[in-house]
Amino acid sequence: MAELYIRVGEDENEEPMEIPSEDDGTVLLSTVAAQFPGACGLRYRSPASQCMRGVRLVEGILHAPENDWGSLVYVVNYPKDNKRKMDEMDAASAVKMKRGIDRTSDLIILGLPWKTSEQDLKDYFVTFGEVIMVQVKRDVKTGNSKGFGFVRFTEYETQSKVISQRHMIDGRWCDCKLPNSKTGPDEPMRNCKIFVGRCTEDITTDELRQFFMQYGEVTDVFIPKPFRAFAFVTFSDDQVASALCGEDLIIKGVSVHISNAEPKHNNINQLFSNFPGRSPSLAAMFDQTQYRYPSSHV
C-alpha cells in the first residue's frame, strides 16, 4: 500500500510540510512533534462551517476526520505557554530553533531482531544523545515487527555519530542510515534485489524466504534451474537489500555471500555505446536476462 502523507503547517497561510501516516491511516503525534517540536495536536478549518476544528487525539494517535485526511492543511497546536514564548522570540531565531541549519532527519534502522521493542530502541540510542522519536514498523494484521524501524535525534552531531557506525541491538548487528530520497534521472536506480552466492542444492526457496524475512518483507525468491549455486532474493525495501550487501550469512550451516544484483541493461547499453555504428537492437540481443551475475560468484 502506498504511503499516505498529510499536509501540516504552523499557520494556515504558510507552506505546509508533508507528514507520513501509519499503515492504518492514523498519524502519530510523535511523528508531528519530530518536525514541529512541542506540538500537542492538530486542528483544521471545516469546509462546511469555516470554523476551526480539533483533530481527535487518543493515546498519542491522531485520527483522520471522518476517516479521510483529504487535501486540507492541518495546523499545529502548541501548549499556550510554549506558543507565548515563541511569539516573543525573533522570527529568524524561532526558525533556527525549530529546524536548525543542520537539521536532523528520521534514520532508518535495518536488521532489527523480531523481539526488539520501541522501548528497547530508545534505551539503546539514548546513550548517544537525546532521542525525539523511535518507532518499530509492524505488520498491521499480525502486529509482528517488519525487521526495521526509525529513530530521530535532537542534535545533528548525534545523528552523524550514529550513522558512522554499526550497532549491536539485542544480539544482532544493525545498520542505521538516512533513507534514500527519490531518485532523479541522473541518480542510480534503487535496487531491491540481492544475489545470494555459495548456495547448496538442498536449500529451497521457502527456506530462503523464511531466513531473509527477519530483515524485512520479502517479495520474491528465485533459484535458477538447472542449479548454479546461487539465488536471488527481492525485498520490498531497497534499504534492506543495500544493508545486506557484502555480508556473509549462515543458512542451514552453510556460509553464503550477499552482493548486489545489479540491473544488467545499464551495463549492456553502456558497453555498446562505445562502438561505432552502435544499434539499440544489438544491445537488446545481449540483454537476455534482467540481472548480471557478479563475476566473483559465477
Side-chain angles (χ1 to χ4, degrees), residues 1 7 42 80 87 98 132 143 158 188 249 261 268 275:
M1 188 177 83
R7 302 196 297 166
L42 295 176
K80 288 185 177 180
D87 290 340
K98 183 174 67 114
I132 297 176
T158 304
L249 305 175
I268 291 295
F275 284 84

Side-chain angles (χ1 to χ4, degrees), residues 35-271:
Q35 305 298 330
F36 302 91
C40 63
L42 295 176
R43 66 184 187 275
Y44 68 101
R45 188 171 299 280
S46 167
S49 66
Q50 292 301 307
C51 294
M52 297 301 290
R53 292 182 179 178
V55 175
R56 186 183 301 279
L57 174 65
V58 180
E59 296 181 349
I61 300 175
L62 293 156
H63 295 264
E66 301 178 353
N67 298 319
D68 184 15
W69 293 104
S71 59
L72 299 173
V73 173
Y74 294 83
V75 181
V76 178
N77 288 335
Y78 293 101
K80 288 185 177 180
D81 288 344
N82 285 6
K83 190 175 188 307
R84 189 176 300 116
K85 291 177 182 177
M86 289 287 288
D87 290 340
E88 292 173 354
M89 296 177 66
D90 178 79
S93 298
V95 172
K96 184 176 179 181
M97 180 197 73
K98 183 174 67 114
R99 296 181 182 171
I101 297 174
D102 291 325
R103 59 184 181 180
T104 60
S105 303
D106 290 350
L107 304 179
I108 187 169
I109 312 160
L110 302 172
L112 286 177
W114 296 117
K115 66 180 181 179
T116 302
S117 67
E118 292 183 350
Q119 187 60 50
D120 293 333
L121 281 184
K122 186 172 184 179
D123 290 344
Y124 174 80
F125 283 111
V126 77
T127 60
F128 292 89
E130 185 178 354
V131 174
I132 297 176
M133 176 275 298
V134 291
Q135 181 184 21
V136 175
K137 294 299 289 185
R138 299 184 179 277
D139 185 275
V140 176
K141 296 181 180 178
T142 66
N144 294 331
S145 168
K146 290 185 177 181
F148 68 97
F150 296 91
V151 64
R152 190 184 183 99
F153 297 94
T154 303
E155 300 296 332
Y156 185 81
E157 290 75 13
T158 304
Q159 171 178 298
S160 299
K161 181 180 179 181
V162 168
I163 292 175
S164 68
Q165 62 188 76
R166 301 194 75 193
H167 303 273
M168 177 64 74
I169 301 176
D170 285 342
R172 176 177 296 163
W173 284 109
C174 302
D175 290 293
C176 195
K177 58 181 69 177
L178 287 167
N180 277 352
S181 57
K182 293 181 179 179
T183 56
D186 298 326
E187 294 176 300
M189 268 179 53
R190 294 170 58 156
N191 190 9
C192 297
K193 182 174 288 192
I194 60 172
F195 177 92
V196 185
R198 302 198 295 253
C199 293
T200 55
E201 199 163 358
D202 63 333
I203 295 179
T204 67
T205 55
D206 286 340
E207 288 170 337
L208 284 177
R209 182 183 296 274
Q210 289 298 320
F211 178 84
F212 284 104
M213 279 176 58
Q214 64 184 301
Y215 299 102
E217 182 181 356
V218 175
T219 60
D220 185 62
V221 177
F222 175 69
I223 299 177
K225 295 186 182 303
F227 181 71
R228 295 186 59 187
F230 63 82
F232 293 106
V233 176
T234 306
F235 295 94
S236 61
D237 188 341
D238 68 303
Q239 293 287 339
V240 177
S242 176
L244 288 174
C245 287
E247 295 289 328
D248 289 298
L249 305 175
I250 304 297
I251 303 178
K252 295 185 67 174
V254 175
S255 174
V256 299
H257 183 75
I258 311 301
S259 54
N260 182 38
E262 184 178 348
K264 182 179 179 180
H265 66 271
N266 289 346
N267 301 307
I268 291 295
N269 290 335
Q270 184 176 4
L271 173 64

Side-chain angles (χ1 to χ4, degrees), residues 7-39:
R7 302 196 297 166
V8 178
E10 286 193 327
D11 184 85
E12 287 182 279
N13 299 318
E14 79 166 13
E15 182 179 355
M17 173 183 292
E18 290 189 328
I19 300 291
S21 68
E22 300 304 298
D23 291 342
D24 60 0
T26 61
V27 174
L28 299 179
L29 181 59
S30 60
T31 303
V32 177
Q35 305 298 330
F36 302 91

